Amino acid sequence: MIDDHRQRILHAAARVYAQHGWRGATTRRIAEEAGVNEVTLFRQFGSKDALLDLMMQECSRVEQAATLPAEPADPEQELLDWVTVHHSALVGMRAIVRQMMSDAVERPDAAGCATHGPSAAMAHVREYVVKLRRNGWITESGEVSPGEVRAAATMLMGAVFADGMNRDMMPTMFTQPVPETLRAYVRIFLRGVGAVQEPAHRAARTVERDTTSTTVPE
């Protein structure tokens, strides 16, 4: 029963906060939304600040149903699937992220919670680029520097974040359907980091096989 009340109050706090912000998310409103009395709320969390701080921490953990593989087999599709899940998660928590960002001046910790998910996602993208290089999808002869890779990852996740947060408010900026737009983001990113159509070792085997098959014995 305690866990049920706790989760119910946290979910209620997120809904109230998304609508009213930090100042407007009173304990009375949260208790009414959760269907409990304020005494229960204070017993569970101690104070409004403690409740909202915990709620923000929970909301900042963007759940990823999709993961990037340890050994890339189809970089474009793998990244597209992953980015699509991340974009959907951002859209789902768009209202609360906007409130966190608007409260960032008075509550600096809110900014950290709002950016935790995108920052973690960007780290995953950088790790995936390392895997692409290790598996031959990015050749060693490429001229892309580590700094450019970081910039490319920042641009990709920045574009996905901006799309998820602003598509509903700026339809003239985001004119293409979401699937087409996300695929374009991924393709531009892969070109930016110097990814090839197939890994170097596979391409080398293909060339060797073709050369062998076209050789006419004397």
Side-chain angles (χ1 to χ4, degrees):
M1 183 64 70
I2 292 177
D3 289 342
D4 180 62
H5 279 161
R6 188 177 182 84
Q7 289 304 312
R8 196 191 318 169
I9 293 170
L10 282 170
H11 293 161
R15 292 192 295 272
V16 172
Y17 176 81
Q19 184 175 357
H20 299 286
W22 189 279
R23 291 188 177 183
T26 63
T27 54
R28 179 180 59 81
R29 280 176 169 162
I30 296 171
E32 289 177 353
E33 179 71 19
V36 301
N37 57 51
E38 287 186 79
V39 173
T40 300
L41 187 151
F42 285 114
R43 283 177 178 170
Q44 288 287 317
F45 300 96
S47 68
K48 167 188 165 177
D49 285 1
L51 167 59
L52 292 184
D53 282 340
L54 182 58
M55 177 274 297
M56 284 188 174
Q57 292 172 27
E58 292 293 323
C59 289
S60 70
R61 299 187 181 98
V62 179
E63 294 295 334
Q64 290 289 340
T67 57
L68 291 167
E71 294 189 7
D74 186 346
E76 181 177 322
Q77 191 60 49
E78 290 162 359
L79 266 176
L80 178 59
D81 292 342
W82 185 83
V83 163
T84 299
V85 171
H86 186 72
H87 183 274
S88 297
L90 285 170
V91 172
M93 59 185 298
R94 182 161 51 198
I96 199 167
V97 171
R98 286 172 177 167
Q99 284 290 358
M100 288 178 180
M101 295 174 72
S102 69
D103 284 336
V105 174
E106 294 185 25
R107 306 286 307 189
D109 52 325
C113 289
T115 58
H116 175 80
S119 297
M122 188 165 64
H124 291 318
V125 173
R126 292 176 182 173
E127 292 173 4
Y128 187 66
V129 171
V130 173
K131 295 171 184 175
L132 290 176
R133 188 179 298 279
R134 286 175 180 170
N135 287 271
W137 292 95
I138 299 176
T139 62
E140 293 297 331
S141 60
E143 298 179 355
V144 182
S145 69
E148 290 170 333
V149 170
R150 289 193 293 271
T154 300
M155 291 173 66
L156 173 63
M157 298 317 303
V160 174
F161 183 83
D163 193 300
M165 289 294 105
N166 302 313
R167 177 174 283 265
D168 61 328
M169 296 192 303
M170 303 178 180
T172 57
M173 179 178 290
F174 303 97
T175 57
Q176 297 295 320
V178 172
E180 294 179 20
T181 304
L182 295 183
R183 186 175 290 276
Y185 293 157
V186 167
R187 286 178 172 174
I188 292 169
F189 169 76
L190 288 173
R191 287 202 297 270
V193 298
V196 294
Q197 293 297 314
E198 61 177 340
H201 59 82
R202 187 187 303 167
R205 285 201 302 268
T206 300
V207 171
E208 181 180 357
R209 184 173 60 251
D210 291 345
T211 302
T212 303
S213 64
T214 56
T215 300
V216 179
E218 296 181 357

